[in-house]
């Protein structure tokens, strides 16, 4: 028995007779060039398989059986599995990106739907209140008051961060609050005199005043594309006005004054150059303007119209108190909500997309008010309104086109 044995057999087992073994590589069994292996008593010597690992069937044994697969092939299989797993990562990332885009589209669609819905309800309930109460200043004051209460609640509950405003910023915002107050007052005055559809048809003239005021105060000359879009707007509004059944000069001039003040606000925001920081975004600026509008509107209303929102006064004019209060509250909530949603949409899309959405909103409001109030519309009136709205849509598409620089 040799002294250099690798391992010894158990003494309880009978002595094995030496025999010649011929082993073939599992993966190259077809080859016949392998050398015979010599096995001596009590000694197993396998020089040709020195790089193979051994594993017994029992997991308790420290010895490991031969895997039957060369290490190079095993590493290749592991590499292939790694590559397969690696290539699966971009696919899951693409799926996540697609789901993220889909959720953003759905969120934006929901915001647009809320924007239009709040506008429809505001115009319908606001028109009913103005028709019954005949107090546009009081109605405007109530809308600013309800909005101010909502803003205060949001700031108190930390639903929206309360800004830190300096005196210089308040002085810069004051002109914006003045024209904002006048714009909403003139709109309510127009809605109290003429139909909702006619008021919004006149308000389609806003691009005309925007171009005019920008040229006068900012020195921004309109491009030929913009002028071409303004012509159908003016022509369509004129055609709709001469054929409007509810036309009167008070309602017409009030709507025109609303266009002038609203567009003055846009020009002033550029002219005054309000310093914005992280605490003064569009929603915060709108909230501050609403609070300032309440302060500006209250003394003017009490001095001009008196207190006309008490139950005794409402009953004296033969109007149901509960209905007026309910409709006024709904109109005020929708008034504040649609402007908040409008700023939320503007933060997610480009100004051009927002302008197109605003044009579509005006169409939706006009059509819904005509259906709800059963407003008589002549073919000429409908044609003029359609031309004006088409011009507004064209303006929203071409106002961003800049003329090519002149080459020397």
């Amino acid at each position: 028995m040799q002294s250099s044995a690798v391992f010894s057999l158990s003494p309880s087992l009978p002595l094995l007779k030496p025999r010649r073994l011929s082993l073939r590589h599992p993966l190259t069994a077809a080859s016949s060039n392998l050398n015979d292996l010599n096995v001596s008593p009590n000694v197993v010597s396998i020089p040709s398989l020195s790089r193979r690992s051994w594993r017994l069937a029992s997991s308790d044994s420290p010895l490991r059986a031969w895997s039957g697969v060369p290490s190079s092939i095993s590493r290749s299989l592991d590499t292939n599995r790694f590559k397969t797993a690696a290539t699966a990562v971009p696919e899951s990332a693409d799926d996540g990106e697609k789901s993220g885009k889909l959720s953003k589209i759905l969120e934006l669609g929901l915001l647009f739907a809320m924007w239009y819905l709040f506008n429809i309800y505001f115009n319908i309930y606001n028109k009913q209140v103005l028709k019954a109460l005949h107090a546009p200043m009081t109605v405007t004051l109530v809308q600013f008051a309800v909005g101010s209460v909502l803003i205060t609640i949001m700031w108190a509950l930390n639903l929206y961060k309360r800004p830190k405003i300096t005196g210089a910023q308040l002085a810069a915002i004051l002109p914006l609050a003045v024209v904002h107050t006048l714009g909403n007052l003139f709109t309510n005055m127009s809605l109290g005199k003429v139909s909702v559809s006619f008021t919004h048809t006149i308000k389609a003239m806003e691009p005309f005043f925007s171009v005019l005021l920008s040229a006068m105060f900012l020195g921004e000359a309109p491009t030929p594309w913009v002028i071409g879009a303004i012509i159908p707007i003016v022509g369509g509004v004129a055609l709709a006005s001469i054929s409007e059944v509810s036309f009167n000069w008070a309602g017409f001039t009030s709507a025109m004054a609303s266009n002038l003040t609203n567009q003055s606000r846009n020009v002033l925001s550029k002219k005054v150059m309000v310093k914005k920081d992280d605490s003064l975004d569009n929603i915060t600026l709108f909230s501050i303007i609403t609070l300032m509008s309440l302060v500006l509107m209250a003394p003017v209303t009490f001095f001009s119209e008196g207190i006309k929102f008490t139950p005794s006064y409402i009953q004296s004019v033969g109007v149901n108190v509960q209905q007026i209060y309910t409709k006024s509250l709904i109109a005020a909530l929708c008034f504040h909500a649609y402007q908040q949603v409008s700023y939320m949409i503007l933060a997610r899309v480009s100004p051009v997309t927002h302008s197109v959405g605003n044009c579509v909103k005006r169409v939706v409001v006009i059509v819904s008010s005509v259906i709800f109030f059963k407003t008589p519309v002549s073919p000429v009136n409908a044609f003029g309104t359609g031309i004006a709205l088409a011009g507004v849509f064209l303006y929203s598409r071409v106002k961003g086109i800049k003329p090519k620089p002149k080459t020397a």
Side-chain angles (χ1 to χ4, degrees):
M1 186 178 298
Q2 295 182 6
S3 61
S4 60
V6 177
F7 62 89
S8 301
L9 298 177
S10 174
S12 61
L13 297 177
L15 186 64
L16 298 177
K17 294 182 180 181
R19 66 179 64 180
R20 299 182 61 87
L21 298 177
S22 177
L23 299 180
R24 298 178 185 273
H25 195 284
L27 300 180
T28 58
S31 175
S32 59
N33 295 327
L34 293 177
N35 296 325
D36 292 337
L37 300 177
N38 297 322
V39 181
S40 58
N42 299 334
V43 178
V44 178
S45 176
I46 312 177
S48 62
L49 298 178
S50 59
R51 295 186 181 181
R52 297 294 179 262
S53 60
W54 290 74
R55 182 184 313 217
L56 295 179
S58 175
S59 60
D60 298 333
S61 174
L63 298 179
R64 294 183 178 180
W66 182 44
S67 63
V69 181
S71 59
S72 60
I73 297 179
S74 177
R75 286 194 298 269
S76 176
L77 293 175
D78 292 339
T79 305
N80 290 336
R81 286 196 297 268
F82 175 77
K83 289 181 178 179
T84 304
T87 54
V89 172
E91 292 179 0
S92 61
D94 290 342
D95 293 340
E97 185 178 353
K98 289 179 181 179
S99 62
K101 288 182 179 180
L102 180 60
S103 63
K104 289 182 179 179
I105 292 174
L106 293 176
E107 178 186 1
L108 191 60
L110 179 61
L111 288 175
F112 269 99
M114 293 171 60
W115 188 23
Y116 296 165
L117 190 64
F118 286 141
N119 263 276
I120 292 172
Y121 275 94
F122 165 70
N123 282 278
I124 290 176
Y125 283 105
N126 195 39
K127 174 64 177 179
Q128 290 177 338
V129 172
L130 289 167
K131 188 177 180 180
L133 200 57
H134 303 290
M137 287 188 177
T138 301
V139 173
T140 306
L141 178 63
V142 169
Q143 291 167 1
F144 288 144
V146 172
S148 299
V149 171
L150 292 176
I151 292 167
T152 304
I153 292 174
M154 286 194 302
W155 287 350
L157 298 179
N158 253 349
L159 299 177
Y160 206 82
K161 185 178 180 181
R162 183 172 57 184
K164 296 180 180 179
I165 304 298
T166 63
Q169 287 177 321
L170 288 176
I173 296 173
L174 180 60
L176 302 178
V178 172
V179 294
H180 177 77
T181 305
L182 292 174
N184 286 282
L185 175 60
F186 286 134
T187 299
N188 285 335
M189 291 174 65
S190 177
L191 287 172
K193 297 293 183 181
V194 296
S195 65
V196 175
S197 58
F198 185 54
T199 297
H200 281 275
T201 300
I202 301 171
K203 286 177 71 66
M205 284 277 290
E206 285 183 350
F208 170 80
F209 288 96
S210 176
V211 172
L212 180 64
L213 294 175
S214 297
M216 290 175 60
F217 297 102
L218 300 178
E220 298 178 357
T223 63
W225 296 101
V226 170
I227 296 175
I230 293 297
I231 293 174
I233 295 176
V234 177
V237 171
L239 191 61
S241 299
I242 62 176
S243 59
E244 173 62 32
V245 177
S246 64
F247 179 86
N248 64 69
W249 283 106
F252 178 81
T253 54
S254 297
M256 283 293 186
S258 173
N259 289 334
L260 179 62
T261 52
N262 286 333
Q263 295 310 308
S264 298
R265 178 184 59 193
N266 296 338
V267 173
L268 279 173
S269 63
K270 297 178 182 179
K271 191 72 176 176
V272 175
M273 297 295 291
V274 178
K275 183 180 179 181
K276 290 188 176 183
D277 52 24
D278 294 337
S279 64
L280 194 61
D281 56 9
N282 286 330
I283 295 180
T284 303
L285 182 61
F286 167 71
S287 301
I288 296 172
I289 289 175
T290 301
L291 293 170
M292 296 178 73
S293 296
L294 173 64
V295 176
L296 293 171
M297 194 69 201
V300 177
T301 302
F302 296 147
F303 180 78
S304 301
E305 289 184 350
I307 302 176
K308 291 187 176 181
F309 210 64
T310 60
S312 58
Y313 176 82
I314 295 174
Q315 288 178 350
S316 67
V317 296
V319 180
N320 186 287
V321 177
Q322 185 178 358
Q323 287 184 358
I324 285 295
Y325 282 175
T326 302
K327 292 179 179 180
S328 297
L329 179 61
I330 294 174
L333 290 173
C334 292
F335 170 76
H336 187 79
Y338 89 74
Q339 298 198 59
Q340 289 273 8
V341 173
S342 176
Y343 284 119
M344 292 171 65
I345 292 174
L346 186 59
R348 289 166 169 79
V349 300
S350 66
V352 175
T353 303
H354 188 271
S355 297
V356 174
N358 191 51
C359 176
V360 177
K361 178 207 74 176
R362 201 171 298 282
V363 175
V364 171
V365 170
I366 290 174
V367 173
S368 61
S369 65
V370 168
I371 296 174
F372 183 84
F373 293 108
K374 299 179 181 179
T375 307
V377 179
S378 65
V380 177
N381 184 273
F383 182 67
T385 302
I387 291 178
L389 295 176
V392 173
F393 177 79
L394 181 61
Y395 170 80
S396 65
R397 301 297 297 173
V398 303
K399 68 178 181 179
I401 300 177
K402 297 181 180 180
K404 295 182 180 179
K406 297 181 179 179
T407 56

